[in-house]
Amino acid sequence: MKTNIIPSNPRGEAFFLNLRFLLIICVFIGNAIEPLIQDIDAMHALYVWIFTFHMPLFVFVTGYFAKTNLLGLPGRRLMLQISLQYVIFQSLYSILDVAVFKVQNIHHSFFAPYLLLWFLASHLCWRVLLTVMNKWMPRQQLAVSLALGVLVGYLQVDGVWLSLSRTFVYLPFFIAGYHFSFAYLEKFFTPLARAIIMSFAGVMLVAVVLWGQLIDAGWLYGSMTYGQLGHDEWYAGAYRLALYALQLLAGIAFLSFVPLRVSRLTDLGRRTLYVFLLHGFIIRFAAASPLYDRITNTAASAMLIVGAIFLTLVLSHPLVRKWTSPVIEPPVQWLLKLERRAFRPFRTVSKH
């Protein structure tokens, strides 16, 4: 999700930071309107439209920013930080469930990521998998990741466990982002191409409004097996390949709306990790409140969306970073020191 070291292309940095902020707005809106999608058709259409691109692109941009901190000390430091974030927020959500929301009959485990925390668990796995494949050609990495993304749907296991299913389903997007060059995008997005793609995005939105009810949202989550989705056929993997094609087209369409130059969004895009990890508490409290009982029409839903955008801006404020950084970006130097001490005897033996 977050890196302190940015790929060297300044224009590429600006574009992907702009993209990251627009995507975190989509994440917040998608989670905010989810309780309404069964009752309000407009919210269902918006929800499906957002889910066709927002998470694949979020994984893609995460892979892009992993270019300079995948290996070596920067890579170890970031993986330790992600691990601490996971432990801290998995614990906080569990405590809230027990102490505040009094949730009954729920099983809390560090092996079953809570709500949006699947992304942290999968991010760790993506880094490990890409490190293992690091000496392969990019095309080989992408081909293998696509095969794994299709095959994982056949496993008769709970995909939520260790975020196993989503890890492999979204792995191709992480690898694609890691190897992506912004120069390709600059050449591709000519003014004419952007106009055509924006028109295509409008057509896609209309198509989702008209036929979005036919799409099982379970396919868009990436967390369910083919059997759980009602497809036990041997060729069920073809549906995932078709979904990959849809997500690719939807992602390209959304990219056409992202500013290429430095803007206000660029600075906000540096603090999306704070929005990502903190907005879940807001959503959780809202779901436990009477709020959604009072939202019964499209106009009220629109106000909820405005509220989600406003809160995204609030959580992106530098003051929020100042107040919450010890939890959001916990220091890991002490863990690195422990690691060096733990392995020092082995290094001494190896030298002799």
Side-chain angles (χ1 to χ4, degrees), residues 209-224:
V209 171
L210 295 176
W211 299 295
Q213 295 285 354
L214 302 177
I215 300 176
D216 186 339
W219 283 99
L220 301 173
Y221 298 147
S223 60
M224 302 172 69

mmCIF file with all atom_site columns, all heavy atoms in Angstrom, residues 209-224:
data_model
loop_
_atom_site.group_PDB
_atom_site.id
_atom_site.type_symbol
_atom_site.label_atom_id
_atom_site.label_alt_id
_atom_site.label_comp_id
_atom_site.label_asym_id
_atom_site.label_entity_id
_atom_site.label_seq_id
_atom_site.pdbx_PDB_ins_code
_atom_site.Cartn_x
_atom_site.Cartn_y
_atom_site.Cartn_z
_atom_site.occupancy
_atom_site.B_iso_or_equiv
_atom_site.pdbx_formal_charge
_atom_site.auth_seq_id
_atom_site.auth_comp_id
_atom_site.auth_asym_id
_atom_site.auth_atom_id
_atom_site.pdbx_PDB_model_num
ATOM 1   N N   . VAL A 1 209 ? -25.489 -0.497  -15.486 1.00 0.00 ? 209 VAL A N   1
ATOM 2   C CA  . VAL A 1 209 ? -26.808 -0.069  -15.017 1.00 0.00 ? 209 VAL A CA  1
ATOM 3   C C   . VAL A 1 209 ? -27.899 -0.987  -15.576 1.00 0.00 ? 209 VAL A C   1
ATOM 4   O O   . VAL A 1 209 ? -28.843 -1.366  -14.872 1.00 0.00 ? 209 VAL A O   1
ATOM 5   C CB  . VAL A 1 209 ? -27.072 1.401   -15.416 1.00 0.00 ? 209 VAL A CB  1
ATOM 6   C CG1 . VAL A 1 209 ? -28.520 1.778   -15.136 1.00 0.00 ? 209 VAL A CG1 1
ATOM 7   C CG2 . VAL A 1 209 ? -26.125 2.334   -14.676 1.00 0.00 ? 209 VAL A CG2 1
ATOM 8   N N   . LEU A 1 210 ? -27.760 -1.365  -16.851 1.00 0.00 ? 210 LEU A N   1
ATOM 9   C CA  . LEU A 1 210 ? -28.791 -2.180  -17.496 1.00 0.00 ? 210 LEU A CA  1
ATOM 10  C C   . LEU A 1 210 ? -28.709 -3.649  -17.115 1.00 0.00 ? 210 LEU A C   1
ATOM 11  O O   . LEU A 1 210 ? -29.737 -4.308  -16.921 1.00 0.00 ? 210 LEU A O   1
ATOM 12  C CB  . LEU A 1 210 ? -28.684 -2.035  -19.020 1.00 0.00 ? 210 LEU A CB  1
ATOM 13  C CG  . LEU A 1 210 ? -28.987 -0.637  -19.589 1.00 0.00 ? 210 LEU A CG  1
ATOM 14  C CD1 . LEU A 1 210 ? -28.747 -0.616  -21.090 1.00 0.00 ? 210 LEU A CD1 1
ATOM 15  C CD2 . LEU A 1 210 ? -30.422 -0.234  -19.269 1.00 0.00 ? 210 LEU A CD2 1
ATOM 16  N N   . TRP A 1 211 ? -27.480 -4.180  -17.003 1.00 0.00 ? 211 TRP A N   1
ATOM 17  C CA  . TRP A 1 211 ? -27.331 -5.627  -16.815 1.00 0.00 ? 211 TRP A CA  1
ATOM 18  C C   . TRP A 1 211 ? -26.512 -6.011  -15.585 1.00 0.00 ? 211 TRP A C   1
ATOM 19  O O   . TRP A 1 211 ? -26.186 -7.178  -15.390 1.00 0.00 ? 211 TRP A O   1
ATOM 20  C CB  . TRP A 1 211 ? -26.673 -6.238  -18.062 1.00 0.00 ? 211 TRP A CB  1
ATOM 21  C CG  . TRP A 1 211 ? -27.484 -6.042  -19.297 1.00 0.00 ? 211 TRP A CG  1
ATOM 22  C CD1 . TRP A 1 211 ? -28.723 -6.560  -19.569 1.00 0.00 ? 211 TRP A CD1 1
ATOM 23  C CD2 . TRP A 1 211 ? -27.142 -5.239  -20.430 1.00 0.00 ? 211 TRP A CD2 1
ATOM 24  N NE1 . TRP A 1 211 ? -29.166 -6.136  -20.794 1.00 0.00 ? 211 TRP A NE1 1
ATOM 25  C CE2 . TRP A 1 211 ? -28.216 -5.322  -21.364 1.00 0.00 ? 211 TRP A CE2 1
ATOM 26  C CE3 . TRP A 1 211 ? -26.027 -4.465  -20.759 1.00 0.00 ? 211 TRP A CE3 1
ATOM 27  C CZ2 . TRP A 1 211 ? -28.203 -4.664  -22.584 1.00 0.00 ? 211 TRP A CZ2 1
ATOM 28  C CZ3 . TRP A 1 211 ? -26.014 -3.797  -21.973 1.00 0.00 ? 211 TRP A CZ3 1
ATOM 29  C CH2 . TRP A 1 211 ? -27.076 -3.898  -22.866 1.00 0.00 ? 211 TRP A CH2 1
ATOM 30  N N   . GLY A 1 212 ? -26.190 -5.027  -14.747 1.00 0.00 ? 212 GLY A N   1
ATOM 31  C CA  . GLY A 1 212 ? -25.373 -5.310  -13.577 1.00 0.00 ? 212 GLY A CA  1
ATOM 32  C C   . GLY A 1 212 ? -25.992 -6.299  -12.615 1.00 0.00 ? 212 GLY A C   1
ATOM 33  O O   . GLY A 1 212 ? -25.294 -7.022  -11.901 1.00 0.00 ? 212 GLY A O   1
ATOM 34  N N   . GLN A 1 213 ? -27.335 -6.379  -12.606 1.00 0.00 ? 213 GLN A N   1
ATOM 35  C CA  . GLN A 1 213 ? -28.013 -7.311  -11.701 1.00 0.00 ? 213 GLN A CA  1
ATOM 36  C C   . GLN A 1 213 ? -27.695 -8.763  -12.043 1.00 0.00 ? 213 GLN A C   1
ATOM 37  O O   . GLN A 1 213 ? -27.870 -9.662  -11.221 1.00 0.00 ? 213 GLN A O   1
ATOM 38  C CB  . GLN A 1 213 ? -29.532 -7.089  -11.772 1.00 0.00 ? 213 GLN A CB  1
ATOM 39  C CG  . GLN A 1 213 ? -29.998 -5.728  -11.276 1.00 0.00 ? 213 GLN A CG  1
ATOM 40  C CD  . GLN A 1 213 ? -29.969 -5.628  -9.752  1.00 0.00 ? 213 GLN A CD  1
ATOM 41  O OE1 . GLN A 1 213 ? -29.704 -6.594  -9.076  1.00 0.00 ? 213 GLN A OE1 1
ATOM 42  N NE2 . GLN A 1 213 ? -30.228 -4.436  -9.237  1.00 0.00 ? 213 GLN A NE2 1
ATOM 43  N N   . LEU A 1 214 ? -27.247 -8.989  -13.270 1.00 0.00 ? 214 LEU A N   1
ATOM 44  C CA  . LEU A 1 214 ? -26.948 -10.359 -13.704 1.00 0.00 ? 214 LEU A CA  1
ATOM 45  C C   . LEU A 1 214 ? -25.583 -10.834 -13.221 1.00 0.00 ? 214 LEU A C   1
ATOM 46  O O   . LEU A 1 214 ? -25.279 -12.026 -13.312 1.00 0.00 ? 214 LEU A O   1
ATOM 47  C CB  . LEU A 1 214 ? -27.001 -10.440 -15.236 1.00 0.00 ? 214 LEU A CB  1
ATOM 48  C CG  . LEU A 1 214 ? -28.328 -10.023 -15.896 1.00 0.00 ? 214 LEU A CG  1
ATOM 49  C CD1 . LEU A 1 214 ? -28.203 -10.083 -17.410 1.00 0.00 ? 214 LEU A CD1 1
ATOM 50  C CD2 . LEU A 1 214 ? -29.463 -10.912 -15.411 1.00 0.00 ? 214 LEU A CD2 1
ATOM 51  N N   . ILE A 1 215 ? -24.756 -9.914  -12.718 1.00 0.00 ? 215 ILE A N   1
ATOM 52  C CA  . ILE A 1 215 ? -23.403 -10.259 -12.280 1.00 0.00 ? 215 ILE A CA  1
ATOM 53  C C   . ILE A 1 215 ? -23.418 -10.628 -10.814 1.00 0.00 ? 215 ILE A C   1
ATOM 54  O O   . ILE A 1 215 ? -23.868 -9.847  -9.965  1.00 0.00 ? 215 ILE A O   1
ATOM 55  C CB  . ILE A 1 215 ? -22.431 -9.086  -12.516 1.00 0.00 ? 215 ILE A CB  1
ATOM 56  C CG1 . ILE A 1 215 ? -22.365 -8.730  -14.004 1.00 0.00 ? 215 ILE A CG1 1
ATOM 57  C CG2 . ILE A 1 215 ? -21.036 -9.434  -11.995 1.00 0.00 ? 215 ILE A CG2 1
ATOM 58  C CD1 . ILE A 1 215 ? -21.492 -7.526  -14.303 1.00 0.00 ? 215 ILE A CD1 1
ATOM 59  N N   . ASP A 1 216 ? -22.954 -11.820 -10.499 1.00 0.00 ? 216 ASP A N   1
ATOM 60  C CA  . ASP A 1 216 ? -22.826 -12.250 -9.115  1.00 0.00 ? 216 ASP A CA  1
ATOM 61  C C   . ASP A 1 216 ? -21.618 -11.529 -8.508  1.00 0.00 ? 216 ASP A C   1
ATOM 62  O O   . ASP A 1 216 ? -20.480 -11.709 -8.962  1.00 0.00 ? 216 ASP A O   1
ATOM 63  C CB  . ASP A 1 216 ? -22.619 -13.768 -9.060  1.00 0.00 ? 216 ASP A CB  1
ATOM 64  C CG  . ASP A 1 216 ? -22.616 -14.311 -7.634  1.00 0.00 ? 216 ASP A CG  1
ATOM 65  O OD1 . ASP A 1 216 ? -22.370 -13.531 -6.700  1.00 0.00 ? 216 ASP A OD1 1
ATOM 66  O OD2 . ASP A 1 216 ? -22.858 -15.519 -7.457  1.00 0.00 ? 216 ASP A OD2 1
ATOM 67  N N   . ALA A 1 217 ? -21.853 -10.714 -7.481  1.00 0.00 ? 217 ALA A N   1
ATOM 68  C CA  . ALA A 1 217 ? -20.778 -9.922  -6.882  1.00 0.00 ? 217 ALA A CA  1
ATOM 69  C C   . ALA A 1 217 ? -19.661 -10.800 -6.330  1.00 0.00 ? 217 ALA A C   1
ATOM 70  O O   . ALA A 1 217 ? -18.521 -10.339 -6.180  1.00 0.00 ? 217 ALA A O   1
ATOM 71  C CB  . ALA A 1 217 ? -21.335 -9.023  -5.770  1.00 0.00 ? 217 ALA A CB  1
ATOM 72  N N   . GLY A 1 218 ? -19.972 -12.058 -6.041  1.00 0.00 ? 218 GLY A N   1
ATOM 73  C CA  . GLY A 1 218 ? -18.954 -12.969 -5.529  1.00 0.00 ? 218 GLY A CA  1
ATOM 74  C C   . GLY A 1 218 ? -17.771 -13.108 -6.466  1.00 0.00 ? 218 GLY A C   1
ATOM 75  O O   . GLY A 1 218 ? -16.623 -13.276 -6.020  1.00 0.00 ? 218 GLY A O   1
ATOM 76  N N   . TRP A 1 219 ? -18.015 -13.029 -7.776  1.00 0.00 ? 219 TRP A N   1
ATOM 77  C CA  . TRP A 1 219 ? -16.923 -13.097 -8.746  1.00 0.00 ? 219 TRP A CA  1
ATOM 78  C C   . TRP A 1 219 ? -15.986 -11.906 -8.598  1.00 0.00 ? 219 TRP A C   1
ATOM 79  O O   . TRP A 1 219 ? -14.773 -12.022 -8.818  1.00 0.00 ? 219 TRP A O   1
ATOM 80  C CB  . TRP A 1 219 ? -17.475 -13.133 -10.167 1.00 0.00 ? 219 TRP A CB  1
ATOM 81  C CG  . TRP A 1 219 ? -18.023 -14.460 -10.570 1.00 0.00 ? 219 TRP A CG  1
ATOM 82  C CD1 . TRP A 1 219 ? -19.328 -14.846 -10.580 1.00 0.00 ? 219 TRP A CD1 1
ATOM 83  C CD2 . TRP A 1 219 ? -17.268 -15.594 -11.008 1.00 0.00 ? 219 TRP A CD2 1
ATOM 84  N NE1 . TRP A 1 219 ? -19.442 -16.149 -11.006 1.00 0.00 ? 219 TRP A NE1 1
ATOM 85  C CE2 . TRP A 1 219 ? -18.192 -16.633 -11.284 1.00 0.00 ? 219 TRP A CE2 1
ATOM 86  C CE3 . TRP A 1 219 ? -15.913 -15.834 -11.207 1.00 0.00 ? 219 TRP A CE3 1
ATOM 87  C CZ2 . TRP A 1 219 ? -17.790 -17.885 -11.736 1.00 0.00 ? 219 TRP A CZ2 1
ATOM 88  C CZ3 . TRP A 1 219 ? -15.508 -17.078 -11.663 1.00 0.00 ? 219 TRP A CZ3 1
ATOM 89  C CH2 . TRP A 1 219 ? -16.442 -18.094 -11.925 1.00 0.00 ? 219 TRP A CH2 1
ATOM 90  N N   . LEU A 1 220 ? -16.524 -10.758 -8.227  1.00 0.00 ? 220 LEU A N   1
ATOM 91  C CA  . LEU A 1 220 ? -15.725 -9.536  -8.147  1.00 0.00 ? 220 LEU A CA  1
ATOM 92  C C   . LEU A 1 220 ? -14.898 -9.465  -6.868  1.00 0.00 ? 220 LEU A C   1
ATOM 93  O O   . LEU A 1 220 ? -13.920 -8.734  -6.807  1.00 0.00 ? 220 LEU A O   1
ATOM 94  C CB  . LEU A 1 220 ? -16.644 -8.317  -8.232  1.00 0.00 ? 220 LEU A CB  1
ATOM 95  C CG  . LEU A 1 220 ? -17.493 -8.230  -9.502  1.00 0.00 ? 220 LEU A CG  1
ATOM 96  C CD1 . LEU A 1 220 ? -18.481 -7.079  -9.391  1.00 0.00 ? 220 LEU A CD1 1
ATOM 97  C CD2 . LEU A 1 220 ? -16.619 -8.062  -10.731 1.00 0.00 ? 220 LEU A CD2 1
ATOM 98  N N   . TYR A 1 221 ? -15.269 -10.243 -5.846  1.00 0.00 ? 221 TYR A N   1
ATOM 99  C CA  . TYR A 1 221 ? -14.521 -10.221 -4.588  1.00 0.00 ? 221 TYR A CA  1
ATOM 100 C C   . TYR A 1 221 ? -13.221 -11.001 -4.686  1.00 0.00 ? 221 TYR A C   1
ATOM 101 O O   . TYR A 1 221 ? -12.259 -10.694 -3.985  1.00 0.00 ? 221 TYR A O   1
ATOM 102 C CB  . TYR A 1 221 ? -15.367 -10.788 -3.454  1.00 0.00 ? 221 TYR A CB  1
ATOM 103 C CG  . TYR A 1 221 ? -16.629 -10.016 -3.164  1.00 0.00 ? 221 TYR A CG  1
ATOM 104 C CD1 . TYR A 1 221 ? -17.770 -10.667 -2.716  1.00 0.00 ? 221 TYR A CD1 1
ATOM 105 C CD2 . TYR A 1 221 ? -16.690 -8.638  -3.341  1.00 0.00 ? 221 TYR A CD2 1
ATOM 106 C CE1 . TYR A 1 221 ? -18.934 -9.968  -2.449  1.00 0.00 ? 221 TYR A CE1 1
ATOM 107 C CE2 . TYR A 1 221 ? -17.850 -7.925  -3.079  1.00 0.00 ? 221 TYR A CE2 1
ATOM 108 C CZ  . TYR A 1 221 ? -18.973 -8.611  -2.636  1.00 0.00 ? 221 TYR A CZ  1
ATOM 109 O OH  . TYR A 1 221 ? -20.117 -7.902  -2.373  1.00 0.00 ? 221 TYR A OH  1
ATOM 110 N N   . GLY A 1 222 ? -13.205 -12.037 -5.492  1.00 0.00 ? 222 GLY A N   1
ATOM 111 C CA  . GLY A 1 222 ? -12.004 -12.857 -5.624  1.00 0.00 ? 222 GLY A CA  1
ATOM 112 C C   . GLY A 1 222 ? -11.748 -13.780 -4.459  1.00 0.00 ? 222 GLY A C   1
ATOM 113 O O   . GLY A 1 222 ? -10.673 -14.384 -4.379  1.00 0.00 ? 222 GLY A O   1
ATOM 114 N N   . SER A 1 223 ? -12.693 -13.926 -3.542  1.00 0.00 ? 223 SER A N   1
ATOM 115 C CA  . SER A 1 223 ? -12.470 -14.706 -2.317  1.00 0.00 ? 223 SER A CA  1
ATOM 116 C C   . SER A 1 223 ? -13.211 -16.041 -2.303  1.00 0.00 ? 223 SER A C   1
ATOM 117 O O   . SER A 1 223 ? -13.123 -16.779 -1.317  1.00 0.00 ? 223 SER A O   1
ATOM 118 C CB  . SER A 1 223 ? -12.904 -13.888 -1.097  1.00 0.00 ? 223 SER A CB  1
ATOM 119 O OG  . SER A 1 223 ? -14.281 -13.552 -1.178  1.00 0.00 ? 223 SER A OG  1
ATOM 120 N N   . MET A 1 224 ? -13.915 -16.377 -3.390  1.00 0.00 ? 224 MET A N   1
ATOM 121 C CA  . MET A 1 224 ? -14.761 -17.564 -3.392  1.00 0.00 ? 224 MET A CA  1
ATOM 122 C C   . MET A 1 224 ? -14.296 -18.565 -4.442  1.00 0.00 ? 224 MET A C   1
ATOM 123 O O   . MET A 1 224 ? -13.775 -18.191 -5.500  1.00 0.00 ? 224 MET A O   1
ATOM 124 C CB  . MET A 1 224 ? -16.220 -17.160 -3.651  1.00 0.00 ? 224 MET A CB  1
ATOM 125 C CG  . MET A 1 224 ? -16.769 -16.177 -2.629  1.00 0.00 ? 224 MET A CG  1
ATOM 126 S SD  . MET A 1 224 ? -18.401 -15.525 -3.064  1.00 0.00 ? 224 MET A SD  1
ATOM 127 C CE  . MET A 1 224 ? -19.408 -17.010 -2.857  1.00 0.00 ? 224 MET A CE  1
#
